[in-house]
Amino acid sequence: MNMHQKKRILTGMRPTGKLHLGHYVGALENWIKLQDNYDCYFLISDYQALGDYSEDVSKIRNSVIEVALDWLSVGLDPKSTTFVIQSYIPEYAELSMLLSMITPKSMIDRNPTLKSEMERQKNVSLGFYNYPLSQVADILLSKADLVPVGEDQLPHIELTREIARKFNRIYKDIFPMPEALVGRVPRLVGIDGRAKMSKSLGNCIYLSDSEKTVKQKVNKMYTDPTRAKATDPGHVEGNVVFTYLDAFYSDKKELENLKKKYTQGKVGDVEIKNILSDLLNDLLKPIRERRKFYLDNPEKVRDALVEGTLRAKKVAQETILEVRKAMNITGYEDINNIRIMNTLDNK
Ligand code: ATP
Ligand code: MG
């Protein structure tokens, strides 16, 4: 199948640190499955990250490579997908600016994800406030049909559809209506049991953690605070280890058995923690091996970024020209326009 016949995917991550298990089950796992059947654009959104990291640019710089390495390590294939560095393609910023002209401020104000993120930050920058719209531009510039994301991103996809609909109605029907696709685990909790595993909360198991670190982190997880010894009947609900087992244990029948034994006081915390850290280390083993390969072959990381960004640049230029034409903000220098002015003057 030719690349252009395939449906398009645009999705991305902010380069604000190393990637973790939440990214894996919420997003990457889907990306890996979809990469062969879609024309995929995976964006490293360094411009978007500036919205709240403008005073820590070195963090963004380091994380661009970190994210690319994490993507390659989980098995994204740079030959059949396209890795993109956002800031190398100014057309994203141009489209975001143009779309801001048709976006009512109230539409941004009622975005629930943005609202809760703004509550957590003092003195939010204008750039941060504008990030949902920058995401809209990312999706529309690539004319994506599908956007695989975590649950927190759904309002941004809805916003994208609203703005695309509006643009298509006012100017010209050029943008497809993108659909969101949420991962198997829409929101993985943190190892501290808090609502979301998140770089900024520091409650993560990273894809690059060593076997030993994973074991240590799992050993520190809370289980059932009411249980004093392994023979006491345990509780499964609200038990962080079981939340993780639900997310990572593929044999559901065996897991049900384990839960039963736990509630009957027939299996101890040490045992379930060992099962979990073995599961996670099995999952991470091939990821660690691929990471080592790419660390030994840094030119392959560079090529993935450079070649991908060049491919994406072509698509970006095509779309932005189409947008400018649709909005009639091109061709001022057209000789016929100048002639018409001349005849008008002589009338
Ligand atoms: P930050 O705290 O800097 O915002 P983040 O950990 O939320 O970082 P993003 O780059 O904002 O990471 O998100 C990248 C993608 O990963 C998004 O699609 C997001 O929904 C998904 N994602 C992030 N954390 C989780 C999680 N704990 N569970 C499921 N999906 C997640
Ligand atoms: Mg986030």
Side-chain angles (χ1 to χ4, degrees):
M1 213 196 282
N2 169 315
M3 277 280 216
H4 295 287
Q5 289 169 326
K6 285 185 181 175
K7 288 205 167 198
R8 250 187 214 159
I9 281 180
L10 179 287
T11 186
M13 289 189 182
R14 290 153 34 97
T16 54
K18 299 180 283 192
L19 302 186
H20 51 66
L21 288 175
H23 294 115
Y24 190 80
V25 288
L28 294 171
E29 202 183 53
N30 255 346
W31 301 12
I32 297 161
K33 275 193 221 133
L34 296 164
Q35 64 177 338
D36 294 328
N37 297 323
Y38 286 82
D39 181 15
C40 293
Y41 291 81
F42 298 133
L43 189 67
I44 303 181
S45 333
D46 57 336
Y47 266 173
Q48 189 181 310
L50 276 172
D52 48 334
Y53 283 83
S54 57
E55 286 175 30
D56 195 1
V57 178
S58 62
K59 171 114 190 149
I60 301 179
R61 287 192 66 84
N62 296 334
S63 304
V64 168
I65 305 302
E66 204 106 59
V67 167
L69 254 173
D70 275 323
W71 286 358
L72 291 165
S73 306
V74 296
L76 293 177
D77 176 2
K79 293 283 172 240
S80 57
T81 66
T82 302
F83 289 9
V84 192
I85 301 177
Q86 187 183 35
S87 63
Y88 281 16
I89 303 187
E91 283 82 358
Y92 287 116
E94 183 178 352
L95 185 60
S96 171
M97 180 275 294
L98 289 173
L99 295 176
S100 77
M101 307 303 173
I102 64 163
T103 306
K105 184 172 161 292
S106 59
M107 218 187 253
I108 303 292
D109 287 334
R110 61 167 197 258
N111 185 305
T113 297
L114 181 67
K115 257 193 212 164
S116 70
E117 285 168 337
M118 295 219 306
E119 273 161 22
R120 269 189 271 135
Q121 287 190 46
K122 278 187 245 130
N123 284 326
V124 169
S125 71
L126 199 53
F128 184 84
Y129 177 74
N130 197 48
Y131 98 79
L133 191 63
S134 125
Q135 224 163 289
V136 169
D138 298 340
I139 297 169
L140 294 184
L141 192 70
S142 313
K143 293 197 176 178
D145 303 287
L146 195 67
V147 192
V149 284
E151 186 183 55
D152 57 325
Q153 304 294 301
L154 290 178
H156 307 336
I157 315 300
E158 201 38 53
L159 179 70
T160 309
R161 294 165 62 87
E162 276 185 80
I163 295 175
R165 215 175 283 125
K166 187 164 179 187
F167 184 99
N168 288 350
R169 176 166 49 79
I170 313 181
Y171 302 112
K172 196 176 171 202
D173 195 356
I174 62 177
F175 294 124
M177 280 306 128
E179 303 278 346
L181 182 74
V182 174
R184 188 170 58 81
V185 181
R187 185 171 39 78
L188 185 70
V189 300
I191 51 173
D192 55 359
R194 277 196 284 179
K196 186 185 163 203
M197 180 178 281
S198 162
K199 294 173 248 182
S200 29
L201 296 176
N203 56 4
C204 305
I205 292 179
Y206 293 102
L207 301 178
S208 47
D209 278 349
S210 70
E211 212 175 308
K212 199 169 141 214
T213 306
V214 170
K215 221 169 164 46
Q216 282 168 348
K217 287 183 177 174
V218 171
N219 282 342
K220 273 197 231 139
M221 279 182 182
Y222 284 114
T223 48
D224 177 0
T226 66
R227 200 178 193 219
K229 46 186 192 316
T231 48
D232 291 347
H235 295 87
V236 167
E237 308 83 48
N239 184 322
V240 185
V241 176
F242 275 102
T243 311
Y244 274 71
L245 286 172
D246 274 330
F248 293 98
Y249 213 137
S250 52
D251 191 336
K252 298 296 167 205
K253 236 175 150 177
E254 216 170 290
L255 178 58
E256 279 317 306
N257 252 336
L258 192 64
K259 284 183 180 172
K260 212 154 122 203
K261 282 206 264 173
Y262 190 79
T263 47
Q264 293 168 344
K266 288 185 185 156
V267 56
D269 282 356
V270 176
E271 202 173 331
I272 56 162
K273 284 183 172 175
N274 283 343
I275 294 176
L276 178 60
S277 44
D278 286 351
L279 267 180
L280 295 180
N281 277 323
D282 282 351
L283 174 77
L284 293 175
K285 190 165 179 270
I287 299 179
R288 289 187 193 117
E289 280 163 12
R290 269 188 233 106
R291 178 185 312 277
K292 174 154 190 334
F293 169 80
Y294 284 106
L295 281 172
D296 291 341
N297 295 276
E299 73 287 353
K300 293 206 188 305
V301 184
R302 181 206 49 210
D303 290 353
L305 289 170
V306 172
E307 285 165 19
T309 302
L310 283 174
R311 268 202 301 278
K313 177 95 185 160
K314 279 206 194 104
V315 175
Q317 284 174 327
E318 276 166 30
T319 310
I320 208 77
L321 189 63
E322 221 182 326
V323 167
R324 281 166 152 266
K325 280 187 179 153
M327 294 178 79
N328 204 15
I329 42 176
T330 182
Y332 291 113
E333 73 287 12
D334 186 334
I335 202 90
N336 288 324
N337 282 340
I338 300 168
R339 281 205 193 103
I340 291 165
M341 286 295 170
N342 194 26
T343 45
L344 289 178
D345 264 359
N346 289 340
K347 265 187 188 159

